[in-house]
Amino acid sequence: MGRVTETYFDGATAQPPHPAARDAYAAALSEGWAGPGRLYTLGRRSRMLLDAARQSAAASLGVSPDEVTFTSSGTQAVHAGILGVIAGRSEPGPLVYGAVEHSSVLHAAQWFDSRGRAARGGSASVPVDRFGRVDADPLAGVEDASVLAIQSANHEVGTRQPIAAIAANLGGVPLVCDAAASLPWEPVPEGWSVLAASARKWGGLSGAGILVVRKGTRWRNPFPGEDSSIREAIGEVDVPAAVAAAASLRAVVSEREELSKRARALTEQIREHIAETIPEVELPGDPVDRLPHIVTFSCLGVDGEVLLTELNRAGFAVSSGSACASTRLRPSHVLQAMGVLSHGNVRVSLHRETTEEEVERFLEVLPGIVEGIRRLSR
């Protein structure tokens, strides 16, 4: 039996490296490997590459270069953004976050609570509706919040959050926005104070994230070490990876309108076909106000791990369970917070290279795989 060709449907975890990232990384590797903080020639070359990457990323995001810091990952950017804003408060109040945030936000909240801050407010989770959306006034009833952490759109079901409306109700409380899921596909609405993102989500390389702290937002180093600037607190970055991140972001921003339109047509085709051909299936998330590349579905009476395994055997790489904890295959905290079916779920997330033929082949085999699993489990 010949080897099954694998079709990659996990673009929300990481997109295939963008050609611009490959080229930029290769070009920067020979010149940007030395420490950019050193004064000798090789260090200065690295610093020039890093500064140029920062300027490029800032232009893509519509911010000032001195507001941009490269990190080692999107998770590091989230942690530094949230905890640094809290550390900048003389009397920290509650850390408020949406119930469907990425695990990096939940872990920051747990760390905040464990550091003895609970007496001054602790953390508070904001509930979501059945689509996975927080209320436009999430701080109602919360006093003296230090920070609000709300993602631009959900990484598991694609539902957009009302960032602009939320920002209008904050009354000066900093908004930390995890934009990792949406940034490759659409601009982030205005109103945020801190933005975090991961380069591998748009076809950059692993080992690079971006943290943007807008002017006027108080930030202080929350990590062990001296009371330093953001860049000093983050530490040395992988300069070639940062260069690749900036180059691929610039390319993605220039093409994302067209790619988003194509991806939305494909995911609508997936949603319609699944609803028509698979009985007892749930498609959580907003069917319209959502990211264009994500479809999550949950099949009643089907084990998620078994479904993932069978799809993998058929040649399809997808996510199952919580997208940020899939190796442990525990029920998704996102789906549980939404009050929808949280077992037997699969997330299909497209990327810029996904073809219509790949989607059609997936839809041909999916109903039979689900029915086969159900038949064996009866």
Side-chain angles (χ1 to χ4, degrees):
M1 185 176 179
R3 181 179 177 182
V4 176
T5 301
E6 186 171 50
T7 297
Y8 184 71
F9 280 161
D10 197 19
T13 294
Q15 289 211 28
H18 196 288
R22 296 176 187 269
D23 294 344
Y25 186 85
L29 194 59
S30 61
E31 296 287 331
W33 55 267
R38 303 304 179 185
L39 296 179
Y40 42 73
T41 302
L42 287 172
R44 289 176 177 173
R45 288 177 182 170
S46 291
R47 179 57 182 266
M48 290 175 63
L49 287 171
L50 187 58
D51 287 345
R54 187 176 295 114
Q55 291 173 359
S56 175
S60 297
L61 296 170
V63 299
S64 172
D66 60 1
E67 295 176 324
V68 175
T69 299
F70 287 103
T71 65
S72 63
S73 66
T75 292
Q76 187 187 36
V78 166
H79 289 169
I82 292 174
L83 300 175
V85 169
I86 294 173
R89 296 286 294 266
S90 57
E91 290 292 334
L95 156 58
V96 184
Y97 61 93
V100 295
E101 295 296 308
H102 187 268
S103 60
S104 59
V105 175
L106 275 58
H107 294 158
Q110 293 166 5
W111 188 89
F112 173 64
D113 289 340
S114 70
R115 297 286 291 177
R117 302 298 184 106
R120 292 187 289 272
S123 62
S125 173
V126 178
V128 297
D129 63 19
R130 196 168 177 83
F131 289 136
R133 183 174 292 109
V134 300
D135 187 81
D137 190 9
L139 295 183
V142 179
E143 295 183 5
D144 300 323
S146 288
V147 64
L148 173 66
I150 299 292
Q151 59 195 183
S152 54
N154 188 258
H155 52 290
E156 287 193 36
V157 299
T159 298
R160 294 190 185 106
Q161 299 294 351
I163 296 299
I166 289 171
N169 290 317
L170 290 184
V173 175
L175 172 59
V176 176
C177 182
D178 172 12
S182 69
L183 191 57
W185 302 95
E186 58 194 32
V188 181
E190 292 294 330
W192 51 268
S193 304
V194 176
L195 188 78
S198 172
R200 65 179 185 160
K201 308 293 186 181
W202 65 73
L205 307 179
S206 295
I210 286 181
L211 172 65
V212 183
V213 178
R214 301 309 302 262
K215 289 183 175 70
T217 303
R218 294 181 61 185
W219 189 96
R220 185 175 181 180
N221 182 15
F223 305 122
E226 299 176 355
D227 185 8
S228 52
S229 68
I230 298 178
R231 291 172 194 165
E232 291 171 331
I234 293 298
E236 294 273 348
V237 300
D238 183 337
V239 174
V243 171
S248 52
L249 180 60
R250 181 175 63 247
V252 165
V253 167
S254 70
E255 65 190 13
R256 66 185 175 189
E257 184 175 352
E258 177 183 348
L259 291 179
S260 294
K261 183 178 180 180
R262 185 168 68 86
R264 184 169 295 278
L266 292 175
T267 55
E268 287 180 353
Q269 179 183 352
I270 295 172
R271 290 177 64 90
E272 291 173 4
H273 188 86
I274 288 175
E276 292 172 357
T277 60
I278 302 178
E280 297 181 297
V281 67
E282 190 169 17
L283 290 146
D286 195 302
V288 178
D289 192 9
R290 61 178 177 86
L291 294 178
H293 66 301
I294 294 176
V295 176
T296 292
F297 59 95
S298 301
C299 302
L300 188 66
V302 174
D303 182 273
E305 184 175 359
V306 174
L307 182 52
L308 184 150
T309 300
E310 292 304 312
L311 285 170
N312 188 61
R313 285 178 179 169
F316 299 98
V318 298
S319 293
S320 181
S322 178
C324 48
S326 58
T327 56
R328 295 180 289 279
L329 289 171
R330 63 193 184 200
S332 163
H333 74 275
V334 170
L335 300 182
Q336 288 181 326
M338 294 167 60
V340 299
L341 187 64
S342 60
H343 289 80
N345 67 86
V346 167
R347 182 187 69 179
V348 175
S349 51
L350 311 185
H351 54 89
R352 69 183 176 281
E353 297 175 8
T354 300
T355 66
E356 186 174 353
E357 290 74 22
E358 290 173 331
V359 168
E360 289 176 350
R361 188 168 72 87
F362 174 75
L363 296 178
E364 286 175 3
V365 303
L366 177 64
I369 290 175
V370 173
E371 174 57 28
I373 296 172
R374 283 173 169 165
R375 187 167 54 247
L376 291 174
S377 64
R378 288 175 186 146

